[in-house]
Amino acid sequence: MRFYEYESRRIVERAGIPVTEYGFCTTAADARAAAERIGGRTVIKSQVLTGGRMKAGGVRFADTPEEAEAHAAEVLELEINGHMPRGVLVDPKAEVAQEYYAGVVWDGTAKCPLMLFSDMGGIEIEEVAEQHPDHVGRGHLVSRLIDPPEFRAKEVIAAAGVSGRELTRATPILTSLARLFRDCDMTLAEINPLARLSDGSFVALDAHMEMEDEAKPRQRDLLERVLGIDPADARLPYEPSEFESNVKAIDSADHRGVIQGRDHGFDGNLGLVIGAGGGSLTLTDAVRSQGGRPANYTEIGGNPSVSKACGLAKQVLKKDGVQKIAVMMSIVSNTRVDIVARGVIKACLELDRDPGDTIAIFRIPGAWEEEGYKILDRYGVEYCDRSVSMWEAARRAVEKIQGAA
Amino acid sequence: MSVLLHKDFTFIVQGITGREAVNLTRECLDYGDGARIVAGVTPGRKGREVHGVPVFDTVEQAVEHHGAPIDGSVITVPPAFTKDAVFEAIQHGIKLVVIVTERIPRLDVAEMVEYAEILDSRIIGPNCLGLIVPEVIKMGGIGGPARDAAKAYSPGPVGVMSRSGGMTTEISSTLTAAGLGQSTAISIGGDAIIGSTYAELMPLFEADEGTEAIVIYTEPGGRMEAQLAEWVTENDSRLPIVAFMAGRFMDDEEMKGMSFGHAGTIVEGEEDTAAQKIARLEGAGIRVVERIDEIPDAVKERLGARV
């Protein structure tokens, strides 16, 4: 889960890292008041969950509160990469002597968080690492089992070529960032730029935080009490479609089994009612590689009820442009073949569709398959067992829909 | 021959009174020679039995009851309690911990991995179905009920490792149908950080006389395949490897930043894409196939070429 800049600032502030006296505003009048309170020159920054704000005109400078108000009014209406801002952040224009980068990320291979520091802040760290590797220090946490000690942060900053008072002042900041990364279950915690002001003090001018979704239940205090985030605020990288929202609602209404549905990026005529995790990936590839055009992506797992399987199939069938559905899974050992068969047939009947014509292929081998195949026989649905590969089943579905078109 | 498990292997099930764990216990007791599940643990449920397996409050009590070290544990407790359960198992001398539980934050997994390293234990999972030595023993829900597992798995020379539990069975079933049995099949888990990666399990297969080839199932996301490619190159492995990569469609521009299938499959950087992974694997001499049904011939070809 990605945080807005104003939330990320609050998170670093809470960890004891100095930030400027900023104001988060949702109206132009508030922005003017914030600029008056701050005094002097200010920066107005769009609060969107996407990069490229500067280029899109989402970051502006104001000399007076009136100017801040005018900029805020425009920025609040400015869409950036398809996102409307949630508000603006009004920040004092700081007197910066130098910009640094401080970050903590996961290193999956080492299975350990990695600290990064650079004295070339304000630009993408990947770019610095490529062009000026000697200006990037990096080092893993000493241990995942204890609160990060300061010395490793000091080593990382020193490895970036930083010494003197800058080193001793930046060390507690990187240490605090590593601690909050661990305490708050972040997958990414960046301060960029971390600025050294003309008086020598360090301050976080921008922050980017992402939290692991799996940790949200135990981070409720931070999310809801401190940041006031609505638990329903999913923050997907795009707006969920009607299909996606409906599938989610069906899944939540019944605890038996798990279903998921996506149609972002799909617009074909063959509806997919497929599973489980790896099986769905394999089958989607198999359909596309053989010229099929999937209308969606789904995952079925954990032995859903008849009504859940039926609900999913109905949502797929109701999608615009869907002519037939393919019901396919890798060999199942927990999900029951007969229950899925019943569900998809029920969906066809309830929508006045002939199951034998609507279901292009049914390929789910495994638990309770004999019972399932009997039901499918009765409705004239073409099915196959494990002797027919996932690839071949997908081919048959594609062939049928192309024949129908 | 096999890796990690053998017919006399003893294990416990932590969280044994849960619905899924009760089924899993039944399945393992019924399969092959019948697993030696020496105890179950659920706090507060001491004195009960699950399919004849005695239940205790603590792992310590289970070890004391058994009167000898216990080899393994299957962890099926809810995510919020998993880390503690794993620490408890490792602290009491258990050397192989299979974590079935899904949705565990990765910091917890990283902590468990470090704890296991300190006390010389190994973790498989989380978010996995366990492992199986065909016709001998299975540890976890892999393959389902004994009758179903017997249809898919057969003994033979191929080691299987898969990030998807279901695909472990699909691939093994395809191998079995083509007359190629499995030495050991391992569902390694679908999360971004797991206890044992392909490269970390390779030395075991390399040392196993019964294993002559490896088949892996992979997905976009993470650097596990790159790590395997490096291992194979650096160690001049004797084992031919065939890989199947699912989720090639995730390379499409409109799919960027989205996760499908498992928590670990999110394309965040260039080197995570399916295309990049395939190039790396092929660069290390690993044969990458496009279809599951191409795997048996690819394995036979590789075995033939080696002799």
Side-chain angles (χ1 to χ4, degrees):
Chain A
M1 170 176 164
R2 183 166 173 179
F3 293 102
Y4 288 93
E5 182 192 358
Y6 71 95
E7 294 166 338
S8 299
R9 291 255 202 138
R10 178 79 189 96
I11 294 168
V12 299
E13 187 181 6
R14 206 166 148 262
I17 296 169
V19 295
T20 51
E21 173 144 8
Y22 61 92
F24 170 65
C25 311
T26 53
T27 66
D30 281 355
R32 179 191 176 125
E36 273 166 6
R37 181 167 49 79
I38 290 165
R41 295 192 71 198
T42 52
V43 191
I44 316 299
K45 296 160 99 177
S46 174
Q47 296 297 290
V48 280
L49 293 181
T50 180
R53 285 184 303 185
M54 187 68 103
K55 220 183 240 173
V59 178
R60 308 201 186 171
F61 300 92
D63 288 325
T64 64
E66 291 71 32
E67 215 180 320
E69 182 176 11
H71 283 320
E74 285 174 27
V75 171
L76 282 167
E77 296 300 318
L78 181 71
E79 187 183 284
I80 301 178
N81 298 332
H83 295 253
M84 285 305 288
R86 182 166 286 201
V88 292
L89 197 130
V90 182
D91 209 21
K93 174 85 181 64
E95 289 303 317
V96 179
Q98 188 173 353
E99 293 187 331
Y100 299 82
Y101 168 95
V104 186
V105 296
W106 270 107
D107 175 349
T109 308
K111 305 174 193 178
C112 191
L114 180 74
M115 288 186 281
L116 295 158
F117 194 86
S118 173
D119 59 349
M120 298 178 72
I123 43 176
E124 293 279 322
I125 189 68
E126 289 83 2
E127 207 180 308
V128 183
E130 205 171 285
Q131 287 164 18
H132 307 278
D134 51 324
H135 282 271
V136 180
R138 60 185 85 204
H140 291 106
L141 297 192
V142 177
S143 162
R144 287 140 282 188
L145 296 165
I146 58 168
D147 210 26
E150 281 206 341
F151 77 87
R152 182 52 53 86
K154 182 183 69 180
E155 290 169 356
V156 169
I157 298 166
V162 176
S163 183
R165 285 187 63 190
E166 286 73 42
L167 172 70
T168 55
R169 286 195 167 189
T171 297
I173 292 175
L174 184 57
T175 307
S176 297
L177 192 65
R179 288 178 183 166
L180 89 79
F181 180 90
R182 212 171 148 269
D183 293 344
C184 305
D185 284 296
M186 295 300 179
T187 52
L188 174 70
E190 281 186 328
I191 300 174
N192 190 22
L194 170 67
R196 177 161 55 82
L197 304 181
S198 41
D199 67 356
S201 64
F202 278 82
V203 61
L205 286 188
D206 195 354
H208 181 176
M209 304 275 145
E210 289 181 23
M211 178 185 280
E212 184 164 28
D213 287 332
E214 278 70 18
K216 279 157 79 176
R218 70 180 180 197
Q219 295 292 347
R220 278 185 61 191
D221 183 64
L222 172 66
L223 295 170
E224 293 171 30
R225 190 184 60 79
V226 178
L227 300 172
I229 296 172
D230 183 340
D233 186 356
R235 302 198 180 176
L236 294 171
Y238 58 92
E239 281 293 309
S241 68
E242 191 187 340
F243 170 76
E244 290 168 344
S245 307
N246 290 347
V247 171
K248 197 167 183 194
I250 295 167
D251 188 47
S252 323
D254 181 346
H255 71 277
R256 291 166 294 178
V258 184
I259 55 166
Q260 285 184 58
R262 296 267 186 80
D263 61 355
H264 179 88
F266 296 93
D267 61 354
N269 55 356
L270 179 61
L272 298 183
V273 180
I274 55 177
S280 293
L281 295 178
T282 303
L283 288 160
T284 305
D285 281 345
V287 168
R288 289 186 17 145
S289 304
Q290 297 179 94
R293 295 189 298 117
N296 66 290
Y297 172 89
T298 55
E299 286 174 22
I300 307 172
N303 198 17
S305 61
V306 171
S307 67
K308 209 171 205 178
C310 171
L312 177 65
K314 268 168 112 168
Q315 289 303 321
V316 175
L317 278 167
K318 281 192 219 163
K319 271 182 61 65
D320 280 349
V322 169
Q323 294 168 336
K324 292 179 188 293
I325 56 171
V327 184
M328 308 183 285
M329 287 179 76
S330 50
I331 298 171
V332 292
S333 47
N334 181 20
T335 296
R336 278 172 53 172
V337 178
D338 60 327
I339 289 179
V340 180
R342 256 181 247 260
V344 295
I345 287 171
K346 191 161 179 266
C348 293
L349 297 176
E350 287 180 9
L351 294 173
D352 279 327
R353 304 276 300 259
D354 171 16
D357 180 53
T358 308
I359 301 171
I361 194 80
F362 185 103
R363 192 267 186 195
I364 309 181
W368 298 73
E369 60 185 12
E370 293 86 356
E371 291 79 357
Y373 298 156
K374 263 184 223 159
I375 301 164
L376 293 161
D377 260 333
R378 206 179 308 147
Y379 288 91
V381 175
E382 185 187 343
Y383 60 85
C384 40
D385 61 13
R386 73 185 66 197
S387 67
V388 174
S389 70
M390 296 163 87
W391 178 271
E392 169 62 14
R395 190 192 65 77
R396 290 186 194 176
V398 172
E399 195 178 82
K400 270 197 193 174
I401 203 151
Q402 284 171 345
Chain B
M1 297 296 281
S2 60
V3 301
L4 294 168
L5 300 182
H6 51 84
K7 75 175 175 52
D8 297 320
F9 189 91
T10 53
F11 66 92
I12 59 173
V13 177
Q14 287 173 258
I16 193 166
T17 52
R19 192 169 54 94
E20 203 184 329
V22 168
N23 291 339
L24 175 159
T25 301
R26 176 81 268 158
E27 292 172 15
C28 295
L29 289 170
D30 289 347
Y31 185 75
D33 292 339
R36 294 186 59 203
I37 305 179
V38 297
V41 174
T42 300
R45 303 290 170 87
K46 185 182 175 184
R48 297 199 182 189
E49 280 194 357
V50 171
H51 300 306
V53 175
V55 179
F56 298 92
D57 288 331
T58 67
V59 174
E60 189 178 28
Q61 290 169 357
V63 173
E64 195 180 288
H65 162 81
H66 182 55
I70 295 169
D71 299 320
S73 178
V74 177
I75 310 280
T76 63
V77 305
F81 308 107
T82 303
K83 184 170 80 177
D84 196 60
V86 171
F87 280 14
E88 185 184 0
I90 294 169
Q91 190 65 46
H92 290 284
I94 286 170
K95 297 299 178 199
L96 181 68
V97 180
V98 171
I99 307 172
V100 174
T101 312
E102 298 178 36
R103 303 190 67 80
I104 303 173
R106 68 187 87 175
L107 178 67
D108 285 13
V109 182
E111 289 186 17
M112 294 177 219
V113 165
E114 186 167 330
Y115 205 76
E117 278 166 9
I118 293 167
L119 292 176
D120 195 25
S121 172
R122 175 185 289 280
I123 292 171
I124 304 286
N127 188 9
C128 81
L129 293 182
L131 59 163
I132 185 168
V133 178
E135 291 184 4
V136 178
I137 182 173
K138 81 171 186 124
M139 181 179 181
I142 188 165
R147 191 174 59 104
D148 292 334
K151 276 193 206 170
Y153 293 91
S154 62
V158 185
V160 178
M161 293 185 272
S162 167
R163 282 170 66 177
S164 157
M167 292 304 289
T168 320
T169 299
E170 181 75 35
I171 286 172
S172 298
S173 176
T174 304
L175 288 167
T176 293
L180 285 167
Q182 307 87 44
S183 59
T184 308
I186 309 174
S187 157
I188 62 173
D191 288 354
I193 294 186
I194 54 173
S196 301
T197 59
Y198 308 118
E200 289 164 341
L201 290 165
M202 276 304 289
L204 303 182
F205 282 112
E206 191 81 20
D208 174 43
E209 285 176 15
T211 302
E212 291 167 37
I214 297 289
V215 172
I216 65 166
Y217 165 91
T218 81
E219 297 173 346
R223 281 188 46 86
M224 237 176 274
E225 293 74 15
Q227 189 197 18
L228 173 66
E230 281 160 27
W231 189 92
V232 167
T233 309
E234 282 168 17
N235 292 276
D236 191 23
S237 174
R238 71 178 174 89
L239 297 170
I241 303 178
V242 174
F244 171 77
M245 164 76 60
R248 295 172 193 235
F249 74 92
M250 288 174 64
D251 282 5
D252 280 14
E253 197 49 45
E254 61 264 39
M255 305 295 172
K256 287 271 150 59
M258 296 175 69
S259 176
F260 289 89
H262 300 107
T265 63
I266 181 159
V267 174
E268 287 162 325
E270 268 304 305
E271 67 187 354
D272 295 324
T273 67
Q276 291 272 349
K277 286 190 179 199
I278 291 167
R280 270 175 212 278
L281 291 169
E282 286 178 342
I286 294 168
R287 168 82 189 276
V288 184
V289 296
E290 196 184 350
R291 301 155 44 173
I292 300 289
D293 50 25
E294 290 173 328
I295 294 173
D297 281 348
V299 171
K300 285 177 183 168
E301 197 180 288
R302 298 235 127 187
L303 283 176
R306 208 169 45 86
V307 175

